Amino acid sequence: MKVLNVYKRLSLLILVGVLSLGVHSDVTLGATKSAKNAEATAAYRYFLMSDQVIEDNICSTKEDLQFAVIDINHDGIKEIVTTGDQMYHACVYAYIDDEVKMIDGAFSGSYVWYKNKNLVYRNSAHTGCYPESYSQFKNGKMVVLANAEGWDYFDANENYSIKYKYYIKGKKTTKQKYNAYVKKLKSNGKEGKISLHANTASNRKKYLK
């Protein structure tokens, strides 16, 4: 009976130890992410004062540049969106390998991120071309899950239409399969708002912390 009690106590101690280790791991992971996000936001504050961000954002000046803070993959480490013309042109940056790197962009169209999914949608309409894509931020880069390519088309009788090609993970597919896949990707998705702020010292301090 005494041996049995010893085993019970030993088992209880092991269980408590395992649970404590799990809690400690979660706390440590949270602290690590918090520290990494602090590094990222400090790097963004510095980057938003650089000449490089102006070069990247076409037709922008330091006076009209704006930025927004988002978290595409919801890992607790923020990304930033920059624009100088209310999102007609836009650049998206992430903190990767201790550097601020451009990972995505938008031009003459929409840029939508989902606040409850690792998913970004973007489209464009320019010079007769109409591309769109659905991507996720994974392993330091944007990975295209589905995309479509559209272009202006005139037949022999000059009747106008837009022709499309559809792709899922780089492989050509039908419109029906594409739409079904996109519907699944967006299921229960909630669009996140891109709140733009003037690139001032006070705003950098307020929103990048």
Side-chain angles (χ1 to χ4, degrees):
M1 185 64 75
K2 289 183 179 180
V3 174
L4 183 59
N5 287 335
V6 169
Y7 278 126
K8 284 183 178 180
R9 290 176 183 176
L10 183 59
S11 298
L12 182 59
L13 287 173
I14 292 172
L15 178 59
V16 170
V18 169
L19 291 174
S20 298
L21 181 61
V23 171
H24 178 71
S25 297
D26 290 342
V27 171
T28 301
L29 182 61
T32 301
K33 286 185 176 181
S34 180
K36 197 68 176 178
N37 187 59
E39 286 182 25
T41 52
Y44 295 146
R45 290 195 298 270
Y46 181 81
F47 180 74
L48 286 170
M49 295 186 289
S50 71
D51 291 332
Q52 183 62 52
V53 74
I54 302 302
E55 292 179 20
D56 292 345
N57 289 266
I58 303 170
C59 303
S60 299
T61 66
K62 289 183 178 178
E63 288 71 32
D64 58 24
L65 188 70
Q66 295 175 295
F67 71 92
V69 182
I70 61 177
D71 187 356
I72 297 174
N73 59 352
H74 313 287
D75 65 348
I77 302 170
K78 305 295 178 57
E79 291 78 48
I80 58 170
V81 181
T82 61
T83 181
D85 48 22
Q86 295 294 319
M87 296 297 291
Y88 186 76
H89 304 89
C91 298
V92 184
Y93 300 92
Y95 188 64
I96 303 167
D97 297 330
D98 300 327
E99 292 183 58
V100 177
K101 297 181 180 181
M102 189 191 302
I103 58 167
D104 206 359
F107 173 68
S108 183
S110 301
Y111 191 87
V112 179
W113 73 286
Y114 290 82
K115 60 184 180 181
N116 61 333
K117 287 176 172 281
N118 182 358
L119 185 66
V120 165
Y121 168 73
R122 63 174 179 155
N123 65 15
S124 179
H126 188 68
T127 60
C129 297
Y130 311 95
E132 70 171 30
S133 65
Y134 292 86
S135 308
Q136 64 178 194
F137 185 33
K138 188 175 182 180
N139 297 326
K141 61 182 181 180
M142 297 302 295
V143 178
V144 177
L145 303 176
N147 66 292
E149 299 173 355
W151 65 94
D152 289 339
Y153 176 78
F154 293 88
D155 65 16
N157 297 315
E158 296 191 357
N159 296 311
Y160 171 76
S161 63
I162 300 177
K163 295 286 188 179
Y164 282 95
K165 291 181 180 179
Y166 301 92
Y167 301 87
I168 295 175
K169 296 182 179 179
K171 295 183 179 181
K172 192 173 180 181
T173 188
T174 64
K175 179 180 180 180
Q176 184 179 13
K177 289 181 179 179
Y178 176 84
N179 287 338
Y181 183 73
V182 165
K183 183 178 180 180
K184 186 176 179 181
L185 283 179
K186 294 169 59 179
S187 178
N188 299 316
K190 296 179 180 179
E191 294 185 10
K193 184 178 181 181
I194 296 180
S195 300
L196 294 172
H197 313 290
N199 185 25
T200 62
S202 59
N203 280 340
R204 290 192 296 271
K205 183 178 179 180
K206 180 178 180 179
Y207 296 106
L208 290 167
K209 58 184 180 180

